[in-house]
Amino acid sequence: MTISALPIWLVDMAGSVLMIVFSFSCLRHIRELNRRDPGNLIWTYLLWVCYLLAGFAISRSAGHILKQILLVSGHNGAWEAIRPYSGSINTFMLIIVASITLFFGRAWKIYREIVRDKIALQTTHREMLNLNETLERRVRERTEALARSEKQIAQADKLASIGQLSSGIAHEINNPLGVILGYTQLLLRDETPGSQKHDDLKTIEKHVKSCKTIVEDLLHFARSSKPRKEDIDIHKVIDDVLNFIRHRAKSDRLHIEKDYGSNIPPMFMDEKKINQVLINLMMNARHATGNEGTIRITTRSDPSVSRVFISIRDTGYGIEEKNLSRIFDPFFTTKPTGEGTGLGLAVSYGIIKNHGGDIRAESTPGNGAVFTIILPVSARNERNV
Amino acid sequence: MKNSIRAIGPGLFLLAAAPALATQGHGDPEGLYVHQMSHIFFVFSMGILIYWLRARKLVRESGWRYIQYAGFFFILWTLDAFVAHLLDEQLRLVQVTRIDRWHIRLDAHSEWLELVYYIVKLDHLLCVPAMIFFYMGVRRLLMTVRHDGSVPGISEAQ
């Protein structure tokens, strides 16, 4: 068969050129990949594959082009001389390309292990950061708790000192006051109501009674008697106090809202003392609202910490920030002289502390105040002690 | 006497041995055989590459899929080249004679063998597509890395 060699020649020449062009284009892209991520084993591997493919393309294509040119130009002898070298290089490059291709599986496996290790390292690093953050937060919380404890201890010390002083003074004053009050009331019997002397004696009686109230408050404050605990329904205690407050308020413009939690267990505590605390707080709230506002009582239980929270929020002006840290101090009051002894909150504070609880005040001036009583829910075995 | 006989035995054995050459000769056909073996090895390595790409499910990514196609075309090309070498150099079933600058004469037992030989000589029709697929694969890998930043397929292989 005699046939045209032109198609073979054209395909050989064009194909050889294209092989070189595309192998170098591959090399250019892989070099960019390698430049983007120089430590990546896969790109390094592919770069070597491309280098060898380019070498193979050059050796093969150069041989083919040279062959075609020499044969067409009639230099058969020259081609016969070059041919062994071209063929050997071609074979050599083909074997190298085939050899390196075999390592793809191994390279991929190693790379995958590197990636796994990297991810594990990153995860550990993240966990370490989280742990560090948690540790810092705990240290901060503990530091704050310590500061609070120190403050409470200081407050307790202060209350104890004042308590001792108060009880001494109160005890000494209480008896003479009783004598003054007794004699004043005796003298009043003999005086005609409306006379100047009667009015003077009434004034004395009123002020002596006021003094006695203060002294009794002082004695209450000083006597840290152990509470007589029993199971109480806190909602019933609050309702009793609210009835008392409503009665005292004598105003339709004082709104009282209740939001009782449904899961409040019976609480083991001294009803009278808790009653006293609630009256103190609600009377303060009523005073703050001026009988025209809203007092909102909220109760809720948090079983996770075994605590019951009772909040009393009023819509009064609130408490100035400078006073907020002093409101539980004995004799501190913002009420006008003669209207408050400054012992109500101090006594309440002592009662709640004696019950193992806490009392907190929050306020933004202009937006009212909220007092929160936190009481523990005692376990049955503790209650029986 | 006995000792003399014992000495003559090994001596005769050594004298009767053929001349031993220290190196093996590498004559004409070895180059062709090596070349043909390299084609077989190339088929094997491309087959392994395709197997790995498929076993690792990398072919779900278009870049690796194109490289798989490149491997497939390289296999076709190397088989084609193997057949061409087999026909004209190894088995000498086809003789090629250049008549003039642009014509050749093919001599074989049958015309279809001559036709087969002519077709397999156009081997660039297989190796150029293989290289183009390889180029497309690499380009797609680069595009994916530009977009995602990681080696395509590594997450699927975890």
Side-chain angles (χ1 to χ4, degrees), chain B residues 30-91:
Chain B
E30 274 190 33
L32 176 63
Y33 277 62
V34 168
H35 191 78
Q36 290 289 70
M37 283 178 190
S38 74
H39 278 298
I40 294 167
F41 183 39
F42 196 73
V43 170
F44 173 71
S45 67
M46 286 298 148
I48 292 288
L49 175 68
I50 292 170
Y51 166 76
W52 275 113
L53 290 172
R54 297 190 72 81
R56 302 285 178 201
K57 295 185 172 57
L58 294 180
V59 288
R60 287 176 183 170
E61 293 286 338
S62 55
W64 295 115
R65 194 162 58 244
Y66 283 131
I67 289 175
Q68 177 196 227
Y69 297 153
F72 178 69
F73 270 91
F74 271 130
I75 288 174
L76 292 181
W77 162 75
T78 200
L79 288 174
D80 178 284
F82 183 86
V83 171
H85 294 316
L86 193 73
L87 289 177
D88 67 354
E89 292 172 272
Q90 204 168 346
L91 301 178

Side-chain angles (χ1 to χ4, degrees), chain A residues 1 3-5 12 60 72 91, chain B residues 35 102 104 106 118 123-124:
Chain A
M1 176 196 281
I3 197 161
S4 171
D12 218 24
R60 187 175 180 282
V72 169
T91 307
Chain B
H35 191 78
W102 298 112
I104 51 172
L106 304 177
Y118 189 81
D123 64 330
H124 277 99

Side-chain angles (χ1 to χ4, degrees), chain A residues 31-268:
Chain A
R31 281 168 70 92
E32 189 183 334
L33 278 169
N34 213 42
R35 207 169 36 248
R36 280 175 173 270
D37 190 2
N40 192 305
L41 180 66
I42 295 298
W43 303 146
T44 307
Y45 169 80
L46 278 182
L47 183 65
W48 278 102
V49 170
C50 275
Y51 275 137
L52 294 169
L53 265 180
F56 170 68
I58 290 171
S59 75
R60 187 175 180 282
S61 301
H64 279 236
I65 291 167
L66 200 61
K67 175 188 169 187
Q68 294 298 348
I69 290 170
L70 289 174
L71 291 182
V72 169
S73 62
H75 295 88
N76 294 25
W79 170 242
E80 285 304 320
I82 295 169
R83 187 181 160 188
Y85 298 102
S86 171
S88 301
I89 294 170
N90 208 3
T91 307
F92 183 67
M93 293 306 295
L94 193 60
I95 291 170
I96 292 183
V97 171
S99 302
I100 196 165
T101 308
L102 281 180
F103 286 100
F104 177 78
R106 177 59 55 185
W108 185 264
K109 197 174 173 186
I110 293 169
Y111 177 67
R112 199 179 55 182
E113 281 169 14
I114 290 170
V115 170
R116 275 183 188 161
D117 288 348
K118 190 178 167 187
I119 290 169
L121 203 64
Q122 283 171 342
T123 309
T124 311
H125 180 66
R126 253 197 318 274
E127 282 171 3
M128 289 287 284
L129 280 178
N130 281 342
L131 283 173
N132 194 31
E133 213 168 88
T134 309
L135 189 68
E136 280 179 5
R137 198 185 65 242
R138 283 187 181 171
V139 168
R140 198 166 51 243
E141 284 171 2
R142 295 284 189 277
T143 309
E144 284 169 7
L146 192 66
R148 270 202 305 276
S149 299
E150 282 175 353
K151 211 169 167 183
Q152 285 170 357
I153 289 167
Q155 175 80 356
D157 283 347
K158 194 159 64 179
L159 290 179
S161 306
I162 293 168
Q164 282 179 347
L165 181 69
S166 307
S167 73
I169 294 170
H171 185 73
E172 294 302 324
I173 291 175
N174 203 29
N175 290 340
L177 278 178
V179 173
I180 293 168
L181 186 62
Y183 276 104
T184 306
Q185 285 169 342
L186 270 175
L187 287 170
L188 269 171
R189 281 186 199 168
D190 301 332
E191 294 302 326
T192 315
S195 67
Q196 181 62 42
K197 204 171 179 183
H198 182 272
D199 289 349
D200 290 345
L201 286 169
K202 279 302 254 187
T203 306
I204 292 169
E205 186 194 27
K206 181 187 159 194
H207 284 283
V208 169
K209 278 183 176 173
S210 176
C211 284
K212 272 188 79 68
T213 307
I214 294 170
V215 167
E216 276 165 12
D217 277 350
L218 272 173
L219 285 170
H220 279 141
F221 171 69
R223 283 183 202 132
S224 56
S225 58
K226 201 173 178 182
R228 289 177 192 168
K229 293 183 180 179
E230 57 188 328
D231 274 336
I232 61 165
D233 178 354
I234 195 71
H235 290 157
K236 188 176 174 302
V237 177
I238 296 171
D239 286 340
D240 289 345
V241 173
L242 287 178
N243 286 336
F244 172 73
I245 296 294
R246 277 198 196 95
H247 180 69
R248 290 282 299 266
K250 293 173 184 170
S251 167
D252 291 336
R253 283 179 288 180
L254 178 69
H255 300 287
I256 294 174
E257 293 177 0
K258 296 190 286 185
D259 180 13
Y260 291 167
S262 58
N263 57 341
I264 310 291
M267 300 182 69
F268 189 65

